[in-house]
Amino acid sequence: MTTTPDLSTLTGDYTVDPAHTTIGFTARHAMVTNVKGKFLDFTGTLHLDGTDPSRSTASLDITMDSIDTGSPDRDGHLKSSDFFNTGEYPTMTFRSTKAESLGGDDYRITGDLSILGTTKPLTIDLEFNGAVKDPFGNERVGFEGKAEIKRSEWGLTWNAALETGGVLVSDKIKLNFDISAIRQA
């Protein structure tokens, strides 16, 4: 397998491969530790324009009931009306509105993130990890990305005060993306 470092040869449409992609988050818990989680059910597409990266696009649809923090009780609380209210808002979406090359393997994609019926802009910094033809003949690309949001801006305001000061759940949430996508024929 040979990794292709040149994005210009990769123009085309891609489908995010959920078996090899992680869409995760980190939240500060009780002011002293981090809780990590991820979503297990999602779909996504990319359109890459290697000659003009500004014409590239990305789309993600995430099933909120698929949240997994390794604790069924915590996951149940996150699905409740205190947080994601998955019965009323089953999906979180991202639709890109702008893509730009920052030089080298670094890119930035900006778009609209919708949670709980609220849509706000989100900017994700991405690193292009390369491209490869896998053993099954698929042309595959990889990106790593990160972003930060304040959950309160999307109406995620539930919290509990701590006896020693501070709150149980941080407002700042770190998002991370490890994306593998397969070129569509």
Side-chain angles (χ1 to χ4, degrees):
M1 296 190 304
T2 305
T3 301
T4 305
D6 184 4
L7 194 61
S8 67
T9 64
L10 304 174
T11 296
D13 295 316
Y14 294 77
T15 301
V16 173
D17 176 5
H20 297 97
T21 295
T22 302
I23 298 173
F25 60 89
T26 303
R28 180 75 59 168
H29 179 261
M31 308 291 292
V32 296
T33 191
N34 289 320
V35 169
K36 295 181 180 186
K38 60 186 174 183
F39 296 95
L40 302 176
D41 184 16
F42 51 86
T43 59
T45 59
L46 307 174
H47 172 76
L48 300 182
D49 188 324
T51 56
D52 184 358
S54 71
R55 294 177 54 169
S56 297
T57 60
S59 172
L60 280 172
D61 293 286
I62 300 166
T63 303
M64 299 307 289
D65 267 338
S66 74
I67 196 165
D68 179 13
T69 64
S71 167
D73 288 343
R74 181 175 40 233
D75 296 346
H77 191 203
L78 289 169
K79 294 174 190 180
S80 78
S81 60
D82 283 347
F83 286 93
F84 292 118
N85 193 6
T86 62
E88 189 172 340
Y89 301 99
T91 307
M92 172 172 51
T93 62
F94 176 79
R95 302 289 183 264
S96 67
T97 56
K98 179 181 178 184
E100 57 190 308
S101 172
L102 302 177
D105 290 335
D106 296 326
Y107 297 86
R108 179 170 290 147
I109 192 154
T110 301
D112 294 325
L113 177 66
S114 296
I115 306 172
L116 290 174
T118 298
T119 302
K120 297 218 172 262
L122 173 68
T123 298
I124 304 168
D125 289 328
L126 295 165
E127 180 180 354
F128 175 57
N129 287 340
V132 68
K133 185 171 256 189
D134 70 22
F136 308 102
N138 297 308
E139 293 183 48
R140 190 178 288 273
V141 294
F143 292 90
E144 282 183 70
K146 61 184 177 182
E148 288 185 0
I149 64 170
K150 287 188 176 183
R151 64 187 181 91
S152 60
E153 293 179 357
W154 279 267
L156 293 161
T157 57
W158 183 91
N159 227 325
L162 299 175
E163 252 181 54
T164 55
V167 292
L168 187 63
V169 183
S170 63
D171 191 30
K172 180 173 80 172
I173 305 296
K174 296 176 183 177
L175 305 176
N176 57 70
F177 306 88
D178 287 308
I179 296 173
S180 179
I182 298 171
R183 190 176 201 155
Q184 298 173 9

